[in-house]
Amino acid sequence: MAMLEIDNLHAKIEGEEGREILKGLTLSVNPGEVHAIMGPNGSGKSTLSYILAGKEDYEVTDGSVTFEGEDLLEMEIDERAAKGLFLAFQYPIEVPGVATMTFLRSALNAQRKKRGEEEISTPDFLRLIRERAGGLGISQDMLKRGVNVGFSGGEKKRAEILQMAVLQPKLCILDETDSGLDIDALKVVSEGVNALRSPDRAMIVITHYQRLLNHIVPDVVHVMNKGRIVRSGGKELALELEANGYAEYQQDAA
Amino acid sequence: MPAVQETVEQVRSIDVDQYKYGFFTDIESEKAAKGLTEETVRFISAKKDEPEWMLEWRLEAFRRWQTMREPDWARVNYPPIDYQELYYYAAPKKKDGPKSIDDIDPEILATYEKLGIPLRERDALLGIESGASRVAVDAVFDSVSVATTFKEELAKAGVIFMPISEAIREYPELVKKYLGSVVPVTDNFFATLNSAVFSDGSFVYVPKGVRCPMELSTYFRINERNTGQFERTLIIADEGAYVSYLEGCTAPMRDENQLHAAVVELVALADAEIKYSTVQNWYPGDSQGKGGIYNFVTKRGDCRGDRSKISWTQVETGSAITWKYPSCILRGDESRGEFYSIAISNGYQQVDSGTKMIHLGKNTTSRIISKGIAAGHSDNTYRGLVSAHRKATGARNFTNCDSLLIGDKCGAHTVPYIESKNSSAQFEHEATTSKISEDQLFYCQQRGLDPEEATALIVNGFVKDVLQQLPMEFAVEAQKLISVSLEGSVG
């Protein structure tokens, strides 16, 4: 059984008449797989990630999404998180005054509680954080600072990956995690992501550019345009896109 | 971090609209006749066995009060108060005064126990063994002080901590010298009313060079119906002394509004320091705005000596209406005043609170950090004055006022007054207003927090600078209180 099954998904912005952003998207993701979704601006990539996470600004008008056999669209945002869905934000949000450490522990325990698990003990939590932060080059000082407050672009993305590493989700959605990263930061982030690849975990990597996929090598590449997946293929599809651009697909769909 | 978790549990365990402290204790009480006349004042004074000079002081206040008008400049609205419909004195009935804690009505002890305040020194002592820090408590029930703990141990250090009614009899010279010296009898309508009818409160004197060996604390409880509470607190730190004091307040749930008009006076002599913390949790009224306490309070500290320091920290979550401006008169050279405030309003609560920093001496400094949080249909106003007298060379102030809005039916207002008559004064003012954004909530929820956990976390982050100022054990209590106050504020 696929972990994530998206079938003929149609969606628009809540309350707005007319224009659909997703127009019949179908996608199936199995455990252990890494899927890359590429496409031009405005093709609906970020909308897809928000709808999967449960952001309230969108309205699903048709189709279904099943996560491990359950209707994902019926679940609250935090319930989806507790079930193991994680979204690494393109623009991570600041939460002033709440130390990253505190935030992570609150989040982890909230998830564990919802799953009926024990809260993590302080020593276990500190060990987990230390272990995961080191690999991403995140200092103790950064962990004490407010969530994303005063972080550089690269620090924000690394902090997102740290959260992912600590929360250990089943399905990771990375929304343009490469944007705003220089080549060194891209490497660190990619290594962090690769370290999390496992046979039980699936990933959806959303990006404009092929360069991220040199580091995070996908199993499947999808081309998205105008709210639909218009072509799927192996990792070589990304290289083809890099060479030829999206123009071909935009014409096709028009 | 664990506190945040506790906070969250607290929020879960309480239904919307349920004020945890809203129970009523059924005990017999003795009240003065309804209404306020010279007779009432004489009655209260006689009940307290007061000397003649004290009665005269009260009567003067009463006469003055009759000529005064209730202030109307604050951003609060309420129907006119009929001062003749209130009781001004209510005391738990007893045969003789309590000789020891064992003589106190068990019902009252049970009440304080419910509030989580250990009055029994025995219990408190057990607390020491388990590593908790020690706090001496004075408990005021309606109009009288019912118990003061650790009195003897404090006396060994030379610290006087007792109900003010006792201090008037036992230390008349100290009381005469300082009572009304910071908040004069004629100061304002509510303070003058308090001067006429105050029935009890706490008195603290810390002698020269003494560092008070424990936290001092007073818990105020209004129990009786239609009864105003008018407590009076006077704290004096003599030269080089230090004291940290905390007050907490609760009341039963009532449909009608109850009046609380307290006066607190602090005097810090040279090199002395007073830290005064408040966790105010009077009944705020129900979610429709019915009932609740009118909290009209005058608090002022006088940094009378050079290099003295007074610090106010308040966490205001209760009361239907709050009208309160804990202030510092920076009289001594190089004296310092601080005001740290968290004011949270929800439902139909109205808060008009802030501070006054009056710089009189040379090189005086002050710092104001105010965090206002408005939710529901409430209104939350910061009103503050920073002024430098023409002799206040080198005065400095830093003010930071932040407001946070939750929802779109509440209001936050900032009304700062700045006056400088000395060209060398440096005053800085920073203010921000923000909303808990949908994006912040979405982000926190995506990480697994439910909307209430997310709000509690964001708000706790917002008030962090002020919470850090509270004594440790109260910071945890305050943190819980904050979340409980915001119950039901997330749509």
Side-chain angles (χ1 to χ4, degrees), chain A residues 18 43 76 90 146 151 163 230 232:
Chain A
S43 59
E76 297 295 331
Q90 184 181 359
F151 287 16
Q163 293 190 27
V230 291
S232 299

Side-chain angles (χ1 to χ4, degrees), chain A residues 26-27 220-223 229-234 237:
Chain A
T26 297
L27 175 67
V220 191
V221 176
H222 306 277
V223 182
I229 286 177
V230 291
R231 193 174 159 199
S232 299
L237 179 56

Side-chain angles (χ1 to χ4, degrees), chain B residues 109-148:
Chain B
L109 282 182
T111 298
Y112 281 97
E113 222 150 85
K114 266 195 220 174
L115 297 172
I117 301 150
L119 279 187
R120 291 173 172 275
E121 294 184 34
R122 249 202 323 266
D123 295 356
L125 284 164
L126 284 174
I128 301 170
E129 281 165 17
S130 65
S133 66
R134 298 181 304 166
V135 180
V137 176
D138 183 20
V140 177
F141 199 84
D142 287 332
S143 305
V144 294
S145 172
V146 292
T148 309

Side-chain angles (χ1 to χ4, degrees), chain A residues 105 119-128, chain B residues 1-2:
Chain A
R105 185 167 178 186
E119 288 194 3
I120 191 165
S121 72
T122 305
D124 285 350
F125 177 73
L126 292 176
R127 207 171 303 129
L128 178 66
Chain B
M1 191 159 21

